[in-house]
Amino acid sequence: VSLPVLAIDVGGTKLAAGLVTADGAVTVAQRIPTPTGRGPEIIWNALTELADAVLAEAGSPALQGIGVGCGGPMEWPAGRVTPLNMPDWQDFPLRERLQKRHPGLTVRLHNDAPCFTAAEHWVGAGRGSEFMMGMVVSTGVGGGLILGGRLVDGGTGNAGHIGHVVVDPVGPVCNCGGIGCLQAVARGPAVVEWARQHGWVAGADAAGPELAASARAGDPVAASALALAGTAVGVAISSVAALLDLDLVVVGGGLAESGEVLFGPLRRAVERHLCVPYGKRLEVLPSGVGQHAGLVGAAALVHRGDAYWSAG
Ligand SMILES: [Zn+2]
């Protein structure tokens, strides 16, 4: 009988923890807002209290191990994390701290986008695919790669980071310092900002969901903003699919929940730009795992280590 994995998903706005069975089912899950501006230990304390609450809710079961997904950048596989949207954590030794707290247990940690990709491949829209890319289009744009049925890490754990594939050589400057990266064009805040600059009228707090609602209601500026983002994502997908001979791309993340106002232009861009014969079979699908993809992917690092974990 296989034991559950304690899965942890660390993000700039929320911390989530849950228990995931060996067949990828989430049996317990809790989430809290990420405490900000009060230093690194406050976040650590909140995270461990959350994990303890999840274990208590389940009756303190024995564990197969601990899997963690966290926003990058990070030193991988050592798991020292400096998430872009979590200024309180600079080079925080997350994997080591968890290992010290749970001696004897396997603790594995990866970037959140490779975790999302593993989740989709394991139990989501990517089941059965041998050559796929997972993408998260949200506050940032990230991704992960499955080649030959296995998660590819690259030298530093960043393989698949499609956010820094160039889609517009005279486009906006990216937070990496480069020009015209997909992330600079298609990250949610950039898309909302583009819409505002072009006359979209909305409240100060309005973000991706409001923009998508406007587009669906027929607002032409909102529709153009999401069409530009979808087109940029489709252009990047076309390049990657041509390079790697992919059969599937799964797109998740907050902005991907916009639906057809994003996916329509995205698919048209792929039709226009991916013209090699072997590209004809490429499918682009929305996430099939849903809200718990981060937890399921983190658990996959332990439950399915043969496919998704090649590091020490
Ligand atoms: Zn970049």
Side-chain angles (χ1 to χ4, degrees), residues 119-130 132 248 250 288:
E120 292 296 335
H121 183 249
W122 185 24
V123 296
R127 260 177 297 187
S129 173
E130 290 279 301
M132 68 166 271
L248 174 67
V250 179

Side-chain angles (χ1 to χ4, degrees), residues 163-164 174-178 181 183-184:
H164 301 291
C174 181
N175 62 9
C176 74
C181 295
Q183 176 164 285

Side-chain angles (χ1 to χ4, degrees), residues 161-166 172-184:
H161 201 335
I162 191 172
H164 301 291
V165 165
V166 176
V173 175
C174 181
N175 62 9
C176 74
I179 297 167
C181 295
L182 173 61
Q183 176 164 285

